[in-house]
Amino acid sequence: MTMPHRQTTFSKHSLRKLLIIILCSATVACEKASYGPSTLYFSAKTIGPSVNIYSADSNDQITKRTDDERWRDLELDVSVNGDLIFVSNRTENPKIDMAKRTENFDIFLQMKGQPFPTKIYEGPGLEVQPKFSPNGKIISYVSRNSDNQQLSFLVPGREEPLEVLSSKEVASYAWSPDSTQVAIAYNDDTHSYIDVVQVADLSSKTLQRTLLESPADSAPATDADNYQKQFAYVSWSPAADKIAFIRHPRHRGTRQLWVMPLEGEPQLVSPPDAQVQDSVSWNSAGDHLLYSALLGYKFYWDEASQRKIYEGGMHIFEYQVGGTSKQLTKHDHMFKNPTYSPDEKQIAYLYAEELGAREYQLFRMARDGSNPVEVFNDVSPMSSLIWHSNLGEE
């Protein structure tokens, strides 16, 4: 049965009270155990470009979390108590605009057990990457404007967002597990950086910096050079003693995954010629992580079929910290966004028969790569995957 088409927008005063209630309840929940029954959240295609948020329980039973075929609900996150946050192009009283070429995404929150989402922030730019802090006290997001981008916090009791960092581009950010720090990958006009910001006073420290372009009179850049690169993705280890990051070449090079101790030198962990994709998943001990990467990738235009032909495959790897990466998948298919289950016995991922496919499926498999099982057949190519323990929701 389809839900009625409805959403709620609160005044600033009501929203401030709502955030206090939501985030304080999440703070209590985050003190509970982290394993047990679980729910796998993802974004499913509905009609045309529309996307809604679905979930699968431990028995692969599917639940529609949002159900309105007019909108695109993307970039979801789940609080420890089961609330959802996501960006959406939902609007009240929508009208047909034949001249419109872009869409605006705002931040929506849907409390656990509620059928309709609430718009909690609408800024002048495009809002992306909404996240709950692990302790449930803050909601963070990135605003993209015409000339710069900002990482900001929504804090209970505060009327306006708290700006954390503003630069030409904020590529990625991640909360430390104890919610005291945020790692940020960003670019200005000349350099790319990884900074760590202290949440308490917003003081920051730069951990990595690289030139976006080559120095004058330099040789063509290679993967070994510290220029013509940018930092595209960051992720904290569970013990907050390491940061995984992806370094993207601005030349014909390799997209690499590195693991950096906070006290020490970063280590390249991806195989040679593996083009690593955004999103990694750490196990709870912080001694293994999952990632996906393109192998043997190339494409060309086929005149006979009048379409692009893609060669190679995207595969799942598990890296043992201090050791090597092990490839878990085979054959030239697409395996994307690998994610550990809360008990770390299974891996969820997106799958397609070939690179460049427009139809994805959601699968899960055993941690060693065996026994793949299809969970859902029509997943958005832009879907994130969050495998969430339900015990914190009690």
Side-chain angles (χ1 to χ4, degrees), residues 38-294:
S38 60
T39 304
L40 179 57
Y41 292 85
F42 59 96
S43 294
K45 294 177 65 177
T46 54
I47 296 176
S50 299
V51 176
N52 285 169
I53 296 172
Y54 288 16
S55 67
D57 66 14
S58 300
N59 297 314
D60 296 338
Q61 294 298 305
I62 303 298
T63 299
K64 294 182 179 182
R65 299 291 174 165
T66 63
D67 191 3
D68 192 324
E69 294 169 345
R70 299 176 295 173
W71 313 118
R72 299 207 296 155
D73 302 332
L74 299 167
E75 299 192 2
L76 67 103
D77 194 21
V78 185
S79 74
V80 69
N81 66 347
D83 295 333
L84 291 177
I85 195 168
F86 56 92
V87 297
S88 180
N89 60 348
R90 294 166 179 256
T91 60
E92 294 184 355
N93 305 315
K95 298 178 181 179
I96 296 174
D97 183 357
M98 300 300 293
K100 188 173 184 179
R101 294 292 183 268
T102 60
E103 56 189 343
N104 195 50
F105 284 85
D106 301 313
I107 302 175
F108 286 76
L109 185 141
Q110 186 162 323
M111 297 178 68
K112 181 190 174 185
Q114 296 299 312
F116 306 113
T118 299
K119 183 188 292 187
I120 63 169
Y121 185 71
E122 177 181 359
L126 180 73
E127 278 68 57
V128 295
Q129 301 185 52
K131 298 179 184 180
F132 292 101
S133 61
N135 65 8
K137 292 183 177 181
I138 297 172
I139 291 172
S140 53
Y141 67 95
V142 173
S143 289
R144 293 178 178 169
N145 303 295
S146 58
D147 56 351
N148 63 2
Q149 301 181 8
Q150 299 88 32
L151 172 64
S152 298
F153 292 162
L154 296 177
V155 182
R158 183 184 175 92
E159 291 239 356
E160 298 296 331
L162 175 63
E163 183 179 293
V164 178
L165 180 140
S166 179
S167 195
K168 185 174 182 179
E169 179 186 11
V170 179
S172 173
Y173 74 94
W175 284 93
S176 65
D178 62 2
S179 302
T180 64
Q181 304 174 91
V182 179
I184 312 171
Y186 68 99
N187 305 325
D188 60 20
D189 289 328
T190 59
H191 290 80
S192 186
Y193 307 84
I194 297 176
D195 281 10
V196 170
V197 174
Q198 302 298 318
V199 174
D201 59 7
L202 301 188
S203 61
S204 65
K205 178 182 179 181
T206 298
L207 301 185
Q208 290 287 307
R209 185 177 73 166
T210 182
L211 280 166
L212 293 174
E213 303 298 337
S214 299
D217 301 324
S218 63
T222 70
D223 287 336
D225 294 318
N226 194 37
Y227 54 84
Q228 264 194 279
K229 311 288 192 301
Q230 65 186 62
F231 301 111
Y233 176 86
V234 287
S235 175
W236 285 91
S237 66
D241 59 342
K242 304 178 189 69
I243 294 175
F245 66 85
I246 293 173
R247 196 175 73 169
H248 179 85
R250 294 164 62 94
H251 58 89
R252 292 183 64 86
T254 306
R255 205 169 194 263
Q256 300 170 328
L257 176 64
W258 297 70
V259 171
M260 172 178 58
L262 294 189
E263 303 295 335
E265 294 298 316
Q267 177 185 359
L268 175 63
V269 305
S270 52
D273 301 322
Q275 303 284 354
V276 178
Q277 306 302 296
D278 290 1
S279 184
V280 305
S281 178
W282 292 87
N283 72 337
S284 60
D287 56 8
H288 288 79
L289 61 81
L290 297 169
Y291 65 95
S292 61
L294 290 163

